């Protein structure tokens, strides 16, 4: 950590940067127990208000947007500086909920595909802690076929009129802008007639509702667009070339979900429910610490956790040096999903009935394991399903033949949908 990394932002060494961050954090950010982080509830507006407050502190202190270019409000530094800062800030309260989707997905996509004005306005506002960004991709009838969206954008004088619906939009209720994929040409194959828009979520013509999940959470939203009017300046990328933007967006999402994005600031858990399960503690609480079967289960999960971190580091380095293609971020996404499921499944197997019934005694308080089990599969859905991730790995990394698509090359208005 003594080298100076080549960067347009500074000649300060990584070690000196880390030392400066260490001193600043001690003076300016609230301390926490990293093993028992504050309980941040994504479904509550107060959590987002607190995150914006903390982000403003980082910005004022000169530690926000470390890997974003300086002209858009960041520091323009190499990933090594962000990693150093992450190591220093682990014991401090950080605006972690802003990492996904604001910074690692939406701002990263705008950085790659947006206009100069969009970069200067939206990325800068997010880094300052003034705005939150979200994704508006999935649709009630779309499922995992993102290119099959039917939300339509019709051209008008100087702009567009949007009609349709989106769903499963993460934290959209707290967001100021959203990246929305819509169909602008129905006469060409589905991937060719799409356009990405940057939508102000307080605009007339948008109705938003919260979605209640089986575990009681209400983080996700659905949105209905009724003659929403957007200007040409809302287009991200080129008209009818939205699939290129969406593909880049998915690239960033798959890296973000797995924990491999350079645009994430801080690496701790957002709250206790995001912490990896304490399998050893569960075994002790249920009187199974000496059970060889339970020890094997816990050991397998712990090893998988270590392997995941090594995979993140390996894939990040390999994408950076070109030895792996950008789509290799999907490897992180898939391994993350499978590791999360294994961790929670193992916790439930160890806790047994104590995870679903309050049995009192030493095992009291383990019911959260059962609640976590209800949402264990979310990592297998974010950024596309795990089945789609395997397709990406097979076709775009390993070079396997693409699967047959019945609608390939067919104008979208001739594709059979639903019961048609």
């Amino acid at each position: 950590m003594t080298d100076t990394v080549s960067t347009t932002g500074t000649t300060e060494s990584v070690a000196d940067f880390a030392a400066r961050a260490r001193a600043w954090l001690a003076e300016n950010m609230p301390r926490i127990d990293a093993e028992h982080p504050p309980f941040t509830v994504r479904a509550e507006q107060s959590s987002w208000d607190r995150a914006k407050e903390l982000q403003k502190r980082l910005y004022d202190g000169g530690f926000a947007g470390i890997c974003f270019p300086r002209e858009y409000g960041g520091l323009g530094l190499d990933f090594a500086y962000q990693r150093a800062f992450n190591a220093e800030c682990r014991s401090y309260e950080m605006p972690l909920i802003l990492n996904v989707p604001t910074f690692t997905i939406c701002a990263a996509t705008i950085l790659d595909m947006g206009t100069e004005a969009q970069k200067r306005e939206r990325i800068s506002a997010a880094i300052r802690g003034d705005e939150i960004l979200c994704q508006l991709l999935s649709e009630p009838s779309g499922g995992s076929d993102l290119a099959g969206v039917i939300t339509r954008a019709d051209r008008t004088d100087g702009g567009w009129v949007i009609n349709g619906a989106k769903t499963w939009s993460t934290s959209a209720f707290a967001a100021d802008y959203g990246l929305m994929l819509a169909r602008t040409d129905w006469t060409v194959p589905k991937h060719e007639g799409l356009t990405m828009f940057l939508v102000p979520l307080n605009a007339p013509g948008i109705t938003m509702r919260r979605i209640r999940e089986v575990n009681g959470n209400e983080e996700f939203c659905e949105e209905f667009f009724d003659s929403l009017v957007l200007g040409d300046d809302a287009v991200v990328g080129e008209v009818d070339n939205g699939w290129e933007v969406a593909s880049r967006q998915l690239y960033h999402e798959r890296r973000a979900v797995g924990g491999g994005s350079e645009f994430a600031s801080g690496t701790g858990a957002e709250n206790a429910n995001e912490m990896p399960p304490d399998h050893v503690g569960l075994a002790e609480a249920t009187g199974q610490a000496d059970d060889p079967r339970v020890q094997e289960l816990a050991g397998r999960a712990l090893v998988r956790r270590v392997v995941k971190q090594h995979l993140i580091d390996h894939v990040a380095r390999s994408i950076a040096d070109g030895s792996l293609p950008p789509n290799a971020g999907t490897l992180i996404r898939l391994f993350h999903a499978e590791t999360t499921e294994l961790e929670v499944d193992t916790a439930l197997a160890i806790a047994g009935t104590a995870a679903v019934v309050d049995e009192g005694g030493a095992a009291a308080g383990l019911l959260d394991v059962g609640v976590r089990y209800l949402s264990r599969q979310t990592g297998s859905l974010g950024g596309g399903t795990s089945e789609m991730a395997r397709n990406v790995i097979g076709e775009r990394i390993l070079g396997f033949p693409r699967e047959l698509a019945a609608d390939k090359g067919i104008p979208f208005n001739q594709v059979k949908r639903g019961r048609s």
Side-chain angles (χ1 to χ4, degrees), residues 1 7 64-65 80 93 133 138 143 155 165 198 246 248 253 284 298 317 333 374:
M1 289 274 291
T7 170
E93 185 182 2
L133 306 172
S138 298
R155 170 70 83 175
L198 190 55
R248 193 63 182 173
E253 180 171 5
E284 292 173 345
R317 287 195 304 269
R333 148 70 182 80
L374 294 176

Side-chain angles (χ1 to χ4, degrees), residues 32 63 65 117 135 138 259 275 281 314 385 416:
I32 63 169
F63 292 99
Q135 301 187 93
S138 298
M275 294 287 288
H314 169 71
T385 64
K416 294 183 177 180

Side-chain angles (χ1 to χ4, degrees), residues 15-37:
D16 287 345
F17 178 81
R20 185 163 59 85
R22 189 181 313 128
W24 182 86
L25 287 163
E27 291 290 329
N28 295 277
M29 299 298 279
R31 280 191 174 273
I32 63 169
D33 178 355
E35 301 303 322
H36 300 88

Side-chain angles (χ1 to χ4, degrees), residues 150-167:
I150 58 174
T151 292
R152 62 184 304 137
D154 295 311
R155 170 70 83 175
T156 62
D157 292 337
W160 304 84
V161 175
I162 314 296
N163 287 280
K166 297 291 181 178
T167 191

Side-chain angles (χ1 to χ4, degrees), residues 92 117 163 208 219 230 257 283 300 329 367 373:
Y92 296 90
N163 287 280
M208 184 180 298
E219 178 190 0
L230 298 175
V257 169
R300 180 181 60 172
L367 294 179
Y373 182 81

